[in-house]
Amino acid sequence: MSVLDNFESWKDFLGDRLHQAQGQGMNQQAISDVAYDIGSYLANQVDAKNDQEAVLRDMWNAASQDEQHALANIMVKLVQNEGTGR
């Protein structure tokens, strides 16, 4: 089962990666930039595996670049308390 098959698994996966990046000293701006790059890639290259991902993709595609950065930052906040090591 892929982490993309279930939104809770996806959030746990992202939470784990966020905690790993923070633990290795990545600053908040770098995390924000990576989140934006991932959001852009997912919206343009990966088919949504569930309704939540489809909504996020549609919101991303409707948003301006500034709004996309805001969505990326919101996703970081959403998963900051997620992950298997919480």
Side-chain angles (χ1 to χ4, degrees):
M1 178 168 124
S2 168
V3 295
L4 294 175
D5 291 337
N6 175 287
F7 195 64
E8 291 303 316
S9 295
W10 175 235
K11 289 192 319 184
D12 280 342
F13 173 79
L14 289 177
D16 288 343
R17 299 298 77 76
L18 173 62
H19 299 144
Q20 183 180 31
Q22 290 170 329
Q24 294 178 352
M26 186 178 273
N27 69 38
Q28 197 59 39
Q29 184 60 49
I31 289 170
S32 178
D33 291 343
V34 169
Y36 174 81
D37 291 342
I38 291 170
S40 183
Y41 174 80
L42 290 173
N44 294 308
Q45 302 296 326
V46 178
D47 291 331
K49 301 290 186 197
N50 54 52
D51 292 340
Q52 295 92 337
E53 290 174 11
V55 168
L56 286 170
R57 181 203 55 223
D58 291 346
M59 289 173 55
W60 187 274
N61 289 331
S64 68
Q65 188 174 11
D66 287 341
E67 292 166 333
Q68 290 171 343
H69 280 280
L71 283 171
N73 289 330
I74 292 166
M75 282 301 297
V76 170
K77 286 183 179 182
L78 178 69
V79 302
Q80 67 188 0
N81 294 320
E82 301 290 335
T84 57
R86 58 187 149 120

